[in-house]
Amino acid sequence: MTSLTRSTRLRHSAVSPGRAPDRNEWSVTLLRAPGANGGFTEAEKVVPGQVRRAAVAELRVLGASPLVESASLLLSELVTNAYQHAGGDHVIVRLIRTDTLVRIEVGGSGAWTPVLRHAEDLEESGRGLVLVDAIAEDWGFNKEQSTVWCTLRIPGEGAPL
């Protein structure tokens, strides 16, 4: 097990976790199971929840507690999307706090482009980016880094929405 922040731990798959010493930033690199071509292996199914719990603890350290609920949902969606669609051998999750915002970045080593679509009523998937679009202040995709990012405004900080 690799320590992420204080007593928060991910069970497996984590390397290079931690906060940059002089910045308001936290990141973790999650190693994918060998040969994983999309979706979760049985052992990886717990990863979104583990990342969410570790990030929530870090949001509190970063002074962004009011964003915990929204950030938890966004992290779950983006990490799940990265595992299901990005492929590659790892997924990187970053939280960056500025004076007024928290930026969430989730990317993978595989080539992919996220697509905002509206799922049919009976479809079991296809709503992740719709949720990101509805909850986040802003969001986008950095093709060079294969990273989806979104921002949340810290209540009471900066200009009103």
Side-chain angles (χ1 to χ4, degrees):
M1 296 204 321
T2 303
S3 177
L4 290 179
T5 57
R6 293 164 183 58
S7 63
T8 306
R9 295 181 181 269
L10 284 180
R11 277 193 181 165
H12 54 80
S13 304
V15 295
S16 306
R19 184 170 352 124
D22 57 347
R23 298 172 60 190
N24 287 325
E25 182 179 317
W26 173 87
S27 66
V28 63
T29 299
L30 305 161
L31 298 178
R32 300 290 316 270
N37 292 324
F40 292 96
T41 65
E42 193 61 36
E44 291 172 335
K45 288 182 180 179
V46 297
V47 171
Q50 292 175 333
V51 169
R52 187 176 57 246
R53 286 186 294 278
V56 162
E58 190 60 25
L59 284 167
R60 290 186 173 119
V61 169
L62 293 173
S65 293
L67 301 180
V68 163
E69 190 173 316
S70 295
S72 293
L73 178 57
L74 296 175
L75 279 162
S76 290
E77 293 299 332
L78 294 177
V79 168
T80 298
N81 283 353
Y83 269 78
Q84 290 180 333
H85 304 294
D89 63 356
H90 69 275
V91 172
I92 297 173
V93 180
R94 292 177 64 201
L95 297 176
I96 303 161
R97 188 198 194 285
T98 68
D99 290 339
T100 59
L101 300 169
V102 168
R103 180 178 169 111
I104 298 169
E105 297 178 356
V106 178
S109 57
W112 67 301
T113 301
V115 177
L116 178 65
R117 68 181 193 91
H118 296 280
E120 297 296 322
D121 290 342
L122 298 178
E123 284 185 86
E124 292 183 13
S125 63
R127 294 172 182 80
L129 288 178
V130 172
L131 288 171
V132 172
D133 189 55
I135 294 169
E137 168 99 3
D138 195 12
W139 74 276
F141 179 69
N142 181 323
K143 189 171 184 169
E144 291 78 33
Q145 297 176 341
S146 292
T147 301
V148 178
W149 59 267
C150 63
T151 57
L152 293 168
R153 183 169 301 281
I154 300 169
E157 305 290 334
L161 296 177

